[in-house]
Amino acid sequence: QVQLLESGPGLVKPSGTLSLTCTVSGTSINNNHWSWIRQTAGEGLEWLGRIDSGGTTDYNPSLKSRVIMSIDTSESRFSLKLSSVTAADTAVYYCARFVTNAFDIWGQGTMVTVSS
Amino acid sequence: QSALTQPASVSGSPGQSITISCTGTSSNVGYSVLVSWYQLHPGKAPKLMIYETNKRPSGVSNRFSGSKSGNTASLTISGLQAGDEADYYCCTFAAGRTYVFGTGTKVAVL
């Protein structure tokens, strides 16, 4: 079955860059759109952006200046970089597949804490 | 885009029906038919329950249904079961090529 697995450091220092990777298995990474979504404590879910297999991106305007997404189709994975992080970026980060106008498959999520 | 407004909690007894509302504006919910709903259980991957306002993915019980009127979308769970106890979030495509989620609703089965 389709599986997404997030990986990356669980602790990032303030003003640093958060870097996560999502590895896709059970389906082709090609011809799909892929997103990053986060859940902050008490704040609910927030869409960060999406990338297609050609590398075209759309970012949440509220984070646009700090977010970069990339994709490596040969390794079946896509990545998120969020720069200049603060405590407000502490969250569970999910990757998800976007198809039929919804996020139909999600990873289990990975907790990232911003702290010195 | 601000988060869509959902009630913080909704509860019901087993077998009852409950409805979760998701209120936005003409720039998001009212702008699009692309409303989706997600179920979140702690420690598990979120699950898509409804897409394109009222469509159910394969494998989702027909006890879950979605609708929309104006700037408000709704998720109805009929025949409430203990396993339905979870957090539920709505989501829609919004003007500016962005996606916005609701504030989330905790469903409790009494």
Side-chain angles (χ1 to χ4, degrees):
Chain A
Q1 74 276 25
V2 180
Q3 288 189 313
L4 306 181
L5 182 63
E6 304 92 347
S7 59
L11 181 64
V12 181
K13 293 187 186 310
S15 78
T17 296
L18 179 158
S19 296
L20 296 174
T21 295
C22 181
T23 301
V24 179
S25 60
T27 190
S28 174
I29 198 169
N30 294 309
N31 304 315
N32 278 304
H33 287 75
W34 306 93
S35 277
W36 288 97
I37 296 159
R38 69 183 181 182
Q39 182 176 24
T40 52
E43 294 293 329
L45 297 173
E46 181 181 26
W47 178 76
L48 304 183
R50 66 178 173 182
I51 187 167
D52 68 17
S53 53
T56 300
T57 54
D58 284 308
Y59 297 140
N60 186 321
S62 69
L63 297 166
K64 193 172 184 177
S65 62
R66 299 197 290 132
V67 174
I68 296 177
M69 295 181 186
S70 59
I71 192 164
D72 184 343
T73 55
S74 65
E75 295 290 334
S76 199
R77 64 189 185 197
F78 59 103
S79 299
L80 167 73
K81 289 189 186 298
L82 181 65
S83 61
S84 304
V85 297
T86 70
D89 295 309
T90 293
V92 176
Y93 286 77
Y94 297 98
C95 57
R97 185 177 72 174
F98 183 79
V99 68
T100 53
N101 302 304
F103 307 102
D104 72 326
I105 303 291
W106 298 57
Q108 295 262 15
T110 186
M111 180 70 200
V112 179
T113 300
V114 178
S115 175
S116 55
Chain B
Q1 293 274 348
S2 298
L4 310 175
T5 301
Q6 297 180 231
S9 63
V10 174
S11 62
S13 299
Q16 284 188 329
S17 292
I18 61 169
T19 296
I20 303 167
S21 60
C22 170
T23 301
T25 69
S26 57
S27 297
N28 42 60
V29 177
Y31 171 83
S32 170
V33 295
L34 305 179
V35 178
S36 53
W37 289 88
Y38 302 88
Q39 178 189 65
L40 274 71
H41 279 119
K44 296 178 67 174
K47 181 180 180 181
L48 173 65
M49 306 304 287
I50 295 287
Y51 68 100
E52 293 179 353
T53 302
N54 55 16
K55 299 176 182 177
R56 273 187 311 276
S58 173
V60 172
S61 170
N62 59 8
R63 297 185 299 104
F64 292 83
S65 62
S67 63
K68 187 175 87 81
S69 178
N71 295 337
T72 297
S74 299
L75 173 72
T76 297
I77 309 174
S78 58
L80 199 61
Q81 298 178 359
D84 299 332
E85 201 163 85
D87 293 333
Y88 292 84
Y89 288 84
C90 60
C91 179
T92 191
F93 182 70
R97 294 177 59 83
T98 188
Y99 288 85
V100 60
F101 284 90
T103 50
T105 297
K106 184 176 292 293
V107 168
V109 181
L110 305 174

